Amino acid sequence: MSTSFWCESLLIDGVAVAGVRLEVDSAGRITRVQVGSAQAADIRLGTVVPGFGNAHSHAFHRALRGQTHEDDGDFWLWRERMYRVAAQLDPSNYQALATAVFAEMLVCGYTAVGEFHYVHHHADGVPYEPAHAMELALAAAARAVGIRLVLLDTIYLKGGIGRELATEQRAFGDGTATAWLTRWQSLRAQLEGDDLVTLGAALHSVRAVPPDAMREVLDGLPREVALHVHLSEQPQENTDCLAAYGLTPTGLLESLGALTARLSVVHATHLSDTDRARLGDAGVTVVMCPTTEADLGDGIGPALALATAGSPIALGSDQNAVIDPFLEMRGLEMAERLASQQRGRFSPAALLAAASTAGYAALALGRHRLQPGDPCDLVEISTTGVRTIGSLLGQLPLTATAADVLRVFVGGRLVAECGQLVGGERPAMMMADALVRLGR
């Protein structure tokens, strides 16, 4: 069934256009965009932006929110606590947790999410029966709330360069690249034809995947599949990689032919000038996760330098200590201001593109500029609240928060409104139930 929307203002490529009608087909794709008056059958909206694409998420990390913030330490200490949560997961409680996390994302304006998923098996490494139980739990969670999910199934073979998996990492491993590819192909067959859920892939990092295994994965994956990798989040990764291979992590990926426009690297915080040039020259997308990078004390990544070099910048919520696309946009710009002591490093339009169109592109979800043929994934923003009143519409990325999200549409279908799902479910109550299942 086709439908139509009339937007009082629609931000197209970051520019507010008044009085825009969108006609949408039964598949949820835009068929016509025109400036004009509303018609009787139109769904009337106020100020509308493209739905946000969360290009990097670890849903189960949400269980650590509010649990790890008072102590000293660094990423490596936080990681030990993360392993404890991973050990508690099973398909049932993971589905409940992911459903709550995806619901929170949806009411906050995310219409698509790339889930960087590596908790594949029982805690002792034994595969689930039936197969793919954890992956299918995530798919069911996305379908339950109506968010687009790109499941970035992750290969994770080593506990560090030259080290076997530790006991707490056994759930992540498939033993060999061949075994991972076999499981990936089987999972792809099960998910084929799903309107909301598609399968992507990820190399966890150069720490967790040896070069020969990375080469096998690169040769074995279809070229159209989104491929992601954690890159140089911590200086220790660079040090270990240089010691083992004589190359930086970026240099190692380049030597394997991995640096192409289909690749997205996550964080890219600690790079050399040569690394930045390599990524930019290849058109590799860089997924920044400002709230997580700040929370873990990772450092400020060279976002503007990477963008200037030619790398598209996308955004992700990563550990989900914060789920708010506006705060990720704001974090990207404010970190640049602090590092450079200059304002306006990224324009509001560039921030909006990073949070929406670049995120969709990084997840191989196609074009997302609210043009004919694009998915009708929309977010309506309040411009009369205490945070946004008086804002120029083009500057909403620097004034609004997720609390200003009114209605959210995925494929032209209303999925969330004023902080709750369209069926009335509230993410906070869903999360409360999920945490009880985890023994909290």
Side-chain angles (χ1 to χ4, degrees):
M1 178 178 172
S2 61
T3 188
S4 57
F5 298 88
W6 185 81
C7 308
E8 182 178 338
S9 295
L10 180 65
L11 268 68
I12 301 176
D13 295 335
V15 177
V17 181
V20 180
R21 291 190 72 250
L22 302 175
E23 295 180 6
V24 182
D25 65 18
S26 58
R29 293 196 170 269
I30 297 169
T31 58
R32 189 179 184 189
V33 180
Q34 63 179 150
V35 177
S37 301
Q39 298 183 12
D42 292 344
I43 297 170
R44 298 192 178 210
L45 304 175
T47 297
V48 176
V49 299
F52 299 115
N54 186 349
H56 187 72
S57 163
H58 301 290
F60 79 90
H61 293 185
R62 167 60 181 84
L64 291 168
R65 186 188 295 177
Q67 302 287 319
T68 66
H69 307 299
E70 65 183 0
D71 298 329
D72 293 336
D74 56 14
F75 166 85
W76 304 103
L77 177 61
W78 171 89
R79 190 178 72 157
E80 295 304 317
R81 296 175 177 177
M82 178 269 288
Y83 286 154
R84 295 174 205 162
V85 175
Q88 296 177 269
L89 298 176
D90 60 40
S92 177
N93 64 28
Y94 199 9
Q95 182 172 332
L97 179 60
T99 302
V101 174
F102 293 159
E104 184 180 359
M105 289 181 187
L106 205 58
V107 303
C108 291
Y110 286 118
T111 49
V113 56
E115 181 62 26
F116 200 105
H117 165 66
Y118 52 82
V119 188
H120 302 301
H121 309 301
H122 288 282
D124 60 2
V126 175
Y128 281 97
E129 291 292 342
H132 313 306
M134 294 294 260
E135 293 73 36
L136 296 177
L138 289 168
R143 293 189 204 103
V145 302
I147 196 170
R148 296 189 194 277
L149 170 67
V150 178
L151 183 59
L152 298 166
D153 195 272
T154 303
I155 180 170
Y156 196 132
L157 302 179
K158 298 292 182 180
I161 295 175
R163 298 200 301 272
E164 296 305 310
L165 292 176
T167 299
E168 60 270 20
Q169 297 169 319
R170 289 177 182 169
F172 311 159
D174 288 290
T176 66
T178 300
W180 179 84
L181 279 166
T182 298
R183 186 176 59 75
W184 188 91
Q185 293 287 0
S186 173
L187 178 59
R188 192 186 198 201
Q190 287 210 33
L191 295 176
E192 192 170 7
D194 195 305
D195 290 337
L196 277 180
V197 181
T198 56
L199 186 61
L203 309 160
H204 180 272
S205 60
V206 301
R207 292 181 287 109
V209 190
D212 287 349
M214 286 195 280
R215 185 178 291 109
E216 185 175 348
V217 168
L218 292 167
D219 290 342
L221 283 175
R223 296 300 175 190
E224 72 276 8
V225 171
L227 180 64
H228 289 219
V229 61
H230 291 127
L231 184 74
S232 294
E233 181 179 5
Q234 298 295 323
Q236 188 65 48
E237 178 181 299
N238 295 347
T239 300
D240 293 347
C241 193
L242 281 164
Y245 308 119
L247 296 167
T248 65
T250 301
L252 181 60
L253 291 175
E254 182 184 51
S255 75
L256 297 169
L259 299 188
T260 68
R262 78 101 166 241
L263 182 70
S264 294
V265 298
V266 183
H267 303 304
T269 308
H270 303 283
L271 301 177
S272 68
D273 292 345
T274 300
D275 289 339
R276 292 197 293 270
R278 286 167 171 158
L279 294 171
D281 288 346
V284 172
T285 293
V286 176
V287 183
M288 295 288 185
C289 305
T291 62
T292 287
E293 289 147 9
D295 180 72
L296 297 181
D298 288 344
I300 298 173
L304 186 62
L306 284 160
T308 302
S311 287
I313 304 298
L315 293 169
S317 64
D318 195 358
Q319 64 161 330
N320 296 303
V322 176
I323 296 179
D324 187 326
F326 292 95
L327 294 188
E328 301 298 348
M329 286 186 275
R330 197 119 77 244
L332 183 68
E333 168 63 9
M334 296 309 167
E336 281 286 334
R337 293 184 184 189
L338 289 171
S340 68
Q341 300 181 52
Q342 292 181 326
R343 304 177 78 215
R345 304 285 279 172
F346 284 97
S347 70
L351 296 174
L352 186 61
S356 56
T357 56
Y360 269 58
L363 297 175
L365 289 174
R367 193 181 63 183
H368 181 47
R369 294 180 53 220
L370 302 184
Q371 297 296 314
D374 294 356
C376 185
D377 295 352
L378 310 174
V379 176
E380 182 185 24
I381 306 298
S382 170
T383 58
T384 59
V386 67
R387 288 163 297 277
T388 58
I389 191 73
S391 291
L392 297 173
L393 298 184
Q395 296 191 25
L396 285 173
L398 291 167
T399 58
T401 73
D404 298 299
V405 171
L406 297 176
R407 285 178 283 185
V408 181
F409 297 82
V410 174
R413 183 173 65 91
L414 179 66
V415 291
E417 185 170 12
C418 296
Q420 63 186 32
L421 300 182
V422 71
E425 302 93 339
R426 294 187 177 275
M429 299 304 296
M430 299 165 73
M431 182 56 66
D433 174 68
L435 292 175
V436 167
R437 291 173 183 243
L438 285 171
R440 296 293 176 87

